[in-house]
Amino acid sequence: MTNVWDKDAIARKWPKRAVVTTGTPYGNKALHFGHIGGVFVPADAFARFLRDRIGGDNVRFVGGTDCFGSPINEGYRKAVETGTFEGTISDYVLRNHNLQADTLKRFKISLDIFEGSNIGTSAEVHAEVSKHFIEALYKSGTLKLDSTMQFYDEKAQTFLNGRQVHGHCPVQGCKSEEAYADECSLGHQYDPSDLINPVSTLTGEVPTMKPVKNWYFDLPSYRQFLKDYCDELRENDLVRSIVPTTLEEFLGDPIIFVKNEAYDDYLAVKVKLPAHTYREAQKGKQSFELVFESIEDRDVAREVLNGAHIRIRTSKTLVPFRLTGNIEWGVKAPVLEGVDGLTVWCWPESLWQPISWTIARNKQLGLPDESWQDFWCDDDAQVYQFLGQDNLYFYGVAQTPMFDAVKNEPIYGEFEKPLHQTRLIANYHLLFGKTKASSSGAVKPPSGEELLEHYTVDQLRCHFCSLGLGLKPVPFSPKPFDPALDDAKRNDPRVADPALKEAALINNVFNRLARSCFYEAANSFDSKVPVRKVSAEVAEEAQKALVKYDERMQRVELHSVFGVCDEFIRYAQKHWADEAKRLNDEEASLEERAQLLSDCLYLTWVSSLMMHPFAPSGCDMICDFMNCESANFFSWNHDFVSLEEIFGDDLTHEVKALPPRFDFFPKHPSQFKK
């Protein structure tokens, strides 16, 4: 046999410790399938694999609820006004957090900690980390205090938070139908004064603007840094192309777009504008371009053009990243240069929330305060951040420079090691049919609970992980919820359900392989398995599959990893079926049957190890019926040449008796023909 599995050499490709984290859902609503299938399930599959690969004690899978921010304020205000909620805003967030936690639990999302920026151990930790992080930015010289204009509702006599102002996004080419004070629903950032047709959601009035002081991170000064960073990402074949491609969209020159019909108006004020380059409208375009050397020059030009009542749009480019605001419900910002009473804007503090959760989890485990640095700062550690493409501006464009700015500053406990950058695992949109999943859209996407009324957890996890969201946006069209189908087609068994495409592997093929082995063990050996040396051909097939699996998992190509599982499990089931038929035809000896059983239990073990991240419920049951310790059964620290690695060196190993007609991967009751 050719031993293709070099355990030690392959293990060296993985970090010794790892953090897996996700984007943080707002604490104003429950989770829909886009949160679950687009981010949490892929992150959980990878975290489960890492625990099996490098050991559970060396992995922190952390997450939580974003407790602050204007969407929560606005959601709470509406809930109280409509009488659908009574209690404090803290109570409101905690209720929604508990709903989220329950959904994640039902989908077997194995987070080590799921708290929130104002919940549990994480609350106190996060307040301290936020304070030190901003102070570290201040020491680095990258913060500046700026007086900017904020929307004010004269009728309501109050400043408006970001979600209390609606308008049209001013970024050229943006098609978002939801634009707020300084960002749209697609993540574009802009100056509030650029928002087109602003309206207060409190009164329906057009708000005025008043000056407020806030702290800003000097993001434009990191333009070359980010360009170099994108070059590094493009050279790294482990990074998905969507990451540098999306980041580079924000690294262009500061540009103002002006409608062609306003050309004469532009000429009338041209002399008042800072130095710029004029670019005439390209063929088929409706606007010409004014290109400026700096964001400051563009800001001056914007004021001049707005003053002349010339309608403009702006390009994606680096703008100062706001860190603070005057919203009362938020993490308290440190007092710097005598400026008091500010809170931290929810987006910046969400970027260092995973650090807070790691610290909080280590505290719960009784570890020293500085132990978080073993996961975030060591050269042999790696942080994997799973997120949707909309959030790449924050986690890539904004987070990367900020982490660089504080890398040599203490942000919790004594400083020992510099903070490292994270690896961004970005997914495209998980669509509902042909459109982006949105709980505020005309067609409501199903919640996680609604999906579980028609599918098992393992079925949905396999489907979500096989979609290839790292490559392109993918539609999710579960038959019971497909708005394109009428009731007759939904109930017609001849109409295939796309969400069950991958279920055949676990419900049929893998299920048959596993239970055939256990029934054979019971019928021929009274469930006392004679342990034999695994056949060379079988071991080699398994090892080749494991190598391929490991290589693709390094790139976090879960759809491709699932494909390896599919191919190998079908091989394993065919091997059992072919050999069992041959032995029955030839009236084989008991020893020949013992060899086949050993080979196929080995194949079932390897199949369970590979499928464990995707279908944990069924694989855990296989481990239990094999009568093995989970930590050993689901470990990659084997040579994969013998059943003795999980059974021990006894000549026989007793497995548990399987009940009649037992399913390791049962179908959902709704899927049986009536």
Side-chain angles (χ1 to χ4, degrees):
M1 183 190 85
T2 303
N3 192 350
V4 297
W5 177 259
D6 188 338
K7 176 180 65 177
D8 296 330
I10 293 174
R12 285 193 290 271
K13 297 179 182 179
W14 291 97
K16 292 182 179 179
R17 285 174 296 280
V19 175
V20 179
T21 187
T22 66
T24 55
Y26 279 125
N28 64 333
K29 62 182 70 175
L31 302 177
H32 63 65
F33 80 87
H35 300 116
I36 299 163
V39 178
F40 277 104
V41 167
D44 181 73
F46 190 67
R48 286 177 179 273
F49 165 76
L50 282 177
R51 291 191 188 107
D52 295 344
R53 194 72 186 77
I54 65 176
D57 291 341
N58 299 317
V59 178
R60 297 287 182 270
F61 182 21
V62 301
T65 301
D66 196 341
C67 299
F68 302 111
S70 55
I72 295 167
N73 282 62
E74 188 66 359
Y76 172 68
R77 181 186 67 80
K78 290 180 178 178
V80 171
E81 283 185 358
T82 58
T84 58
F85 184 80
E86 294 181 0
T88 67
I89 190 169
S90 223
D91 297 332
Y92 172 75
V93 171
L94 184 60
R95 180 201 67 175
N96 293 325
H97 166 80
N98 289 336
L99 290 173
Q100 294 173 0
D102 182 63
T103 298
L104 295 175
K105 183 178 180 180
R106 295 186 66 186
F107 275 84
K108 304 292 182 183
I109 307 300
S110 59
L111 286 148
D112 294 308
I113 186 171
F114 185 75
E115 292 188 336
S117 45
N118 195 47
I119 296 172
T121 308
S122 301
E124 182 179 344
V125 169
H126 188 59
E128 188 172 349
V129 170
S130 298
K131 174 179 180 294
H132 292 316
F133 202 102
I134 292 178
E135 289 175 343
L137 288 172
Y138 183 77
K139 291 177 184 177
S140 73
T142 58
L143 292 193
K144 64 177 182 178
L145 187 64
D146 199 1
S147 180
T148 57
M149 305 301 288
Q150 183 172 338
F151 287 109
Y152 186 84
D153 190 320
E154 297 285 356
K155 186 175 181 180
Q157 293 291 293
T158 184
F159 280 104
L160 300 174
N161 65 49
R163 293 299 174 103
Q164 291 174 333
V165 182
H166 277 196
H168 300 293
C169 181
V171 174
Q172 178 71 7
C174 180
K175 297 181 180 180
S176 171
E177 297 181 358
E178 291 186 83
Y180 310 109
D182 55 6
E183 69 167 314
C184 75
S185 61
L186 295 180
H188 299 144
Q189 302 290 293
Y190 43 80
D191 190 280
S193 61
D194 286 342
L195 181 65
I196 299 172
N197 298 331
V199 175
S200 168
T201 62
L202 297 184
T203 62
E205 300 289 321
V206 176
T208 59
M209 302 202 79
K210 293 187 176 183
V212 293
K213 286 186 176 181
N214 274 302
W215 288 103
Y216 289 80
F217 176 70
D218 187 11
L219 191 54
S221 68
Y222 276 85
R223 187 179 182 190
Q224 188 57 50
F225 171 87
L226 284 168
K227 286 185 175 181
D228 294 340
Y229 176 64
C230 287
D231 289 341
E232 293 176 11
L233 294 178
R234 289 203 176 279
E235 293 175 1
N236 188 342
D237 61 2
L238 299 181
V239 177
R240 295 174 179 175
S241 60
I242 184 180
V243 178
T245 298
T246 303
L247 268 56
E248 286 170 341
E249 292 177 2
F250 296 91
L251 304 184
D253 294 321
I255 300 174
I256 289 178
F257 299 89
V258 184
K259 290 285 189 181
N260 293 333
E261 55 264 29
Y263 180 72
D264 290 339
D265 295 330
Y266 153 69
L267 290 180
V269 298
K270 178 180 178 181
V271 68
K272 299 179 182 179
L273 302 179
H276 62 279
T277 300
Y278 166 82
R279 293 178 185 165
E280 66 180 19
Q282 298 179 6
K283 185 177 181 180
K285 297 295 183 179
Q286 298 179 352
S287 302
F288 58 87
E289 302 175 5
L290 308 178
V291 185
F292 298 88
E293 294 183 1
S294 69
I295 190 67
E296 291 80 10
D297 286 350
R298 192 180 77 170
D299 286 344
V300 172
R302 195 184 68 247
E303 292 180 7
V304 172
L305 294 169
N306 284 335
H309 305 291
I310 298 174
R311 182 177 175 180
I312 63 173
R313 284 185 178 262
T314 52
S315 66
K316 295 180 186 178
T317 193
L318 296 180
V319 298
F321 188 59
R322 180 167 63 88
L323 293 184
T324 61
N326 56 11
I327 184 172
E328 183 178 350
W329 176 247
V331 179
K332 302 302 180 186
V335 179
L336 301 173
E337 297 184 6
V339 180
D340 197 0
L342 299 179
T343 52
V344 186
W345 184 35
C346 66
W347 263 113
E349 50 102 353
S350 74
L351 302 181
W352 55 76
Q353 274 179 10
I355 298 176
S356 302
W357 293 327
T358 306
I359 295 168
R361 179 55 181 160
N362 283 5
K363 275 183 172 292
Q364 293 171 352
L365 295 172
L367 297 174
D369 282 350
E370 289 74 31
S371 61
W372 71 272
Q373 296 180 47
D374 296 337
F375 291 87
W376 285 83
C377 305
D378 272 1
D379 289 338
D380 56 5
Q382 180 66 66
V383 178
Y384 302 87
Q385 286 191 298
F386 284 75
L387 60 145
Q389 67 181 98
D390 286 354
N391 293 338
L392 272 171
Y393 172 83
F394 297 103
Y395 290 97
V397 176
Q399 175 183 282
T400 306
M402 288 202 300
F403 274 24
D404 181 75
V406 304
K407 66 182 179 184
N408 293 317
E409 299 287 345
I411 57 176
Y412 192 88
E414 294 297 322
F415 169 74
E416 294 180 4
K417 308 162 189 173
L419 182 66
H420 287 180
Q421 296 293 346
T422 65
R423 180 175 162 193
L424 304 178
I425 314 295
N427 280 340
Y428 285 90
H429 294 310
L430 179 57
L431 308 176
F432 183 45
K434 297 181 180 180
T435 60
K436 178 185 173 185
S438 173
S439 55
S440 59
V443 180
K444 304 300 181 186
S447 68
E449 286 71 16
E450 289 173 323
L451 288 175
L452 292 178
E453 294 175 2
H454 299 271
Y455 306 95
T456 69
V457 170
D458 281 353
Q459 286 176 336
L460 288 170
R461 288 175 62 100
C462 288
H463 182 63
F464 289 140
C465 288
S466 68
L467 291 177
L469 290 171
L471 302 176
K472 60 182 180 180
V474 181
F476 175 56
S477 303
K479 183 179 171 183
F481 301 95
D482 190 345
L485 299 179
D486 56 29
D487 289 340
K489 289 184 178 179
R490 287 196 190 98
N491 296 319
D492 188 345
R494 295 170 299 178
V495 177
D497 188 343
L500 288 176
K501 180 181 178 182
E502 297 74 22
L505 179 67
I506 55 174
N507 297 148
N508 301 330
V509 186
F510 195 9
N511 205 47
R512 284 200 303 269
L513 170 67
R515 68 182 184 183
S516 295
C517 290
F518 285 101
Y519 288 145
E520 170 65 9
N523 295 335
S524 298
F525 301 99
D526 195 27
S527 295
K528 296 177 178 63
V529 178
V531 180
R532 297 293 183 264
K533 181 179 179 181
V534 176
S535 300
E537 174 213 333
V538 168
E540 186 169 343
E541 285 294 325
Q543 290 187 358
K544 287 192 294 186
L546 291 168
V547 170
K548 191 184 297 184
Y549 182 108
D550 189 271
E551 290 173 345
R552 298 183 185 187
M553 192 62 91
Q554 287 175 39
R555 298 193 293 272
V556 200
E557 294 176 352
L558 297 182
H559 67 290
S560 184
V561 174
F562 190 87
V564 174
C565 296
D566 188 295
E567 182 179 355
F568 179 73
I569 292 171
R570 292 182 188 280
Y571 156 78
Q573 166 58 20
K574 186 175 187 304
H575 180 81
W576 162 263
D578 290 348
E579 289 301 299
K581 182 178 185 304
R582 181 182 67 80
L583 294 182
N584 287 335
D585 291 344
E586 297 176 4
E587 298 183 356
S589 67
L590 203 60
E591 179 56 33
E592 288 177 297
R593 302 197 75 86
Q595 183 63 56
L596 175 60
L597 180 57
S598 285
D599 285 348
C600 289
L601 281 173
Y602 169 85
L603 291 170
T604 301
W605 165 40
V606 175
S607 298
S608 300
L609 175 66
M610 293 198 297
M611 283 296 294
H612 191 223
F614 305 115
S617 299
C619 293
D620 285 341
M621 278 198 288
I622 291 174
C623 172
D624 180 54
F625 275 91
M626 280 232 198
N627 205 14
C628 293
E629 290 292 331
S630 178
N632 188 37
F633 189 85
F634 295 114
S635 172
W636 289 72
N637 191 30
H638 294 294
D639 293 318
F640 298 107
V641 295
S642 171
L643 279 175
E644 294 176 2
E645 294 172 288
I646 56 169
F647 286 169
D649 55 8
D650 293 336
L651 296 179
T652 60
H653 175 80
E654 186 169 3
V655 298
K656 295 182 180 180
L658 202 64
R661 303 180 64 84
F662 184 82
D663 284 331
F664 289 103
F665 303 95
K667 295 180 180 180
H668 191 277
S670 67
Q671 295 165 12
F672 291 97
K673 294 181 180 179
K674 298 178 181 178

